Amino acid sequence: GDEESLGADTASLDAEDFFAFVKCMSLIGAVMAFIFVCDRTSLFFKQSKEYSAFAFAAPVAGLALLGLATVERPKDAPATFLNREQTMEWKGWMQLVLLVYHFTGASQVLPVYVMIRLLVASFLFLTGFGHTVFFCTKRDLSVQRLLQVLFRLNVLTAFLCIVMGRSYQEYYFVPLCTVNYLLVYGTMRLLPAWNESAGRLLVKIGGLFLFVAALWHEDSSSQRPLLTAIFSLPGIFPLFQENGSVHEWAFRSALDRYAAPAGMLVGCLYTYYFSSSSSSSNSVSFTSSNALTNLWRRRQ
């Protein structure tokens, strides 16, 4: 009787998972079909982007009002510095502003361009910070974790590349996040025992800064030879090329190259110096008083 009940429960669970998968894939398929119809057919009218201050400011102001109108304090959110709920909310609003920026053609306006560069750098900083805190507290450096994050970052972009026939680099923000995540993961995965010591982890992060400086080093001819050599390798080049060159990717990726390492640095300092959690606890909390106390004790 128990075996039959267990078998029925397993079959029911498998059926639920299957229908959930079909539902998700159907939704993705519908979205991709809509994008293709909008961009590659004459069913909808098209026009060139012509920037106007009102066209950019109006949707941004609308998003700001929407955000203010829906402010709430999650009941179960941990009272920590830059916790997951905060950073995911921040990333979501930044991505909406980025969509408005590209949709309205605001890249030619210097003040708007500078603001967007700050948002992109903030996003990459949070990538370095969040994953460093996670790796230090959860100690999950498994391949499964790596693949989960890569899948989450790239699944929709992969569908877009296939449906629209574009290269991976043309949706540059996702490759940017992916490459920076791989830098963070690689740094934490190398000599993982060092992650349990603040001093040794800081040494690894310092090594990452040096590696990033070398990787994106620009020579006298304004070329980045090491980066170009790596991203011109077979299997990688088709993903990052544009018009037969990786020059555009080299330029875009170089703009905020130190943001993720800076996030790692802050994440390390926060975890080991500004956290009241003991070495036996996986939770992290933050107050100004215990931060100063812990920092003082570390210096003794």
Side-chain angles (χ1 to χ4, degrees):
D2 292 339
E3 293 181 357
E4 292 180 358
S5 176
L6 180 60
D9 292 341
T10 302
S12 176
L13 183 60
D14 291 342
E16 290 179 2
D17 290 342
F18 175 75
F19 285 118
F21 174 77
V22 171
K23 180 180 178 181
C24 291
M25 293 304 296
S26 299
L27 179 60
I28 292 175
V31 171
M32 293 299 152
F34 178 73
I35 292 173
F36 183 86
V37 169
C38 289
D39 190 72
R40 298 301 174 85
T41 70
S42 58
L43 186 61
F44 295 96
F45 292 109
K46 297 175 177 63
Q47 66 179 32
S48 301
K49 295 178 182 179
E50 295 183 5
Y51 172 80
S52 72
F54 177 80
F56 176 77
V60 171
L63 290 173
L65 292 175
L66 179 61
L68 292 173
T70 55
V71 169
E72 62 179 17
R73 182 183 295 274
K75 295 181 180 179
D76 300 327
T80 59
F81 173 70
L82 288 181
N83 60 64
R84 180 174 174 80
E85 286 73 15
Q86 288 176 323
T87 56
M88 293 301 288
E89 178 85 4
W90 189 357
K91 287 180 178 180
W93 288 113
M94 287 194 292
Q95 289 183 72
L96 287 174
V97 175
L98 284 169
L99 286 175
V100 174
Y101 167 78
H102 287 291
F103 189 78
T104 57
S107 59
Q108 303 302 317
V109 182
L110 183 59
V112 178
Y113 176 79
V114 171
M115 180 189 72
I116 295 301
R117 294 313 322 165
L118 289 174
L119 292 186
V120 173
S122 298
F123 198 104
L124 298 178
F125 174 90
L126 292 176
T127 296
F129 175 87
H131 289 295
T132 300
V133 172
F134 175 86
F135 290 137
C136 287
T137 56
K138 303 297 184 182
R139 297 182 175 86
D140 182 4
L141 291 163
S142 63
V143 175
Q144 180 182 357
R145 170 68 185 181
L146 171 66
L147 295 178
Q148 284 176 341
V149 175
L150 293 179
F151 179 83
R152 190 169 67 236
L153 285 172
N154 290 278
V155 59
L156 292 179
T157 303
F159 278 111
L160 273 175
C161 291
I162 295 170
V163 172
M164 305 303 291
R166 294 176 180 266
S167 70
Y168 183 53
Q169 189 276 142
E170 292 189 59
Y171 304 100
Y172 79 95
F173 187 68
V174 172
L176 197 61
C177 294
T178 300
V179 169
N180 278 274
Y181 172 73
L182 290 174
L183 289 174
V184 174
Y185 179 85
T187 302
M188 300 299 289
R189 191 68 182 84
L190 179 68
L191 301 173
W194 284 32
N195 299 339
E196 300 179 14
S197 166
R200 290 181 176 181
L201 180 54
L202 287 173
V203 170
K204 290 208 299 180
I205 295 173
L208 176 61
F209 272 100
L210 294 177
F211 176 76
V212 168
L215 182 61
W216 274 277
H217 172 69
E218 188 176 32
D219 61 20
S220 57
S221 59
S222 299
Q223 300 296 318
R224 305 182 191 276
L226 182 56
L227 184 79
T228 301
I230 292 175
F231 286 94
S232 296
L233 292 172
I236 299 178
F237 179 74
L239 297 175
F240 291 91
Q241 66 86 25
E242 183 173 329
N243 298 323
S245 170
V246 296
H247 177 76
E248 183 66 18
W249 165 248
F251 167 74
R252 288 183 179 275
S253 61
L255 293 174
D256 307 294
R257 58 189 180 275
Y258 295 113
M264 290 190 70
L265 177 62
V266 175
C268 173
L269 294 175
Y270 165 70
T271 301
Y272 287 104
Y273 292 107
F274 292 89
S275 169
S276 65
S277 60
S278 65
S279 59
S280 61
S281 172
N282 284 335
S283 63
V284 181
S285 61
F286 177 87
T287 64
S288 58
S289 59
N290 64 44
L292 293 175
T293 301
N294 289 344
L295 183 57
W296 173 257
R297 288 175 179 173
R298 295 269 183 169
R299 289 179 173 178
Q300 299 305 306

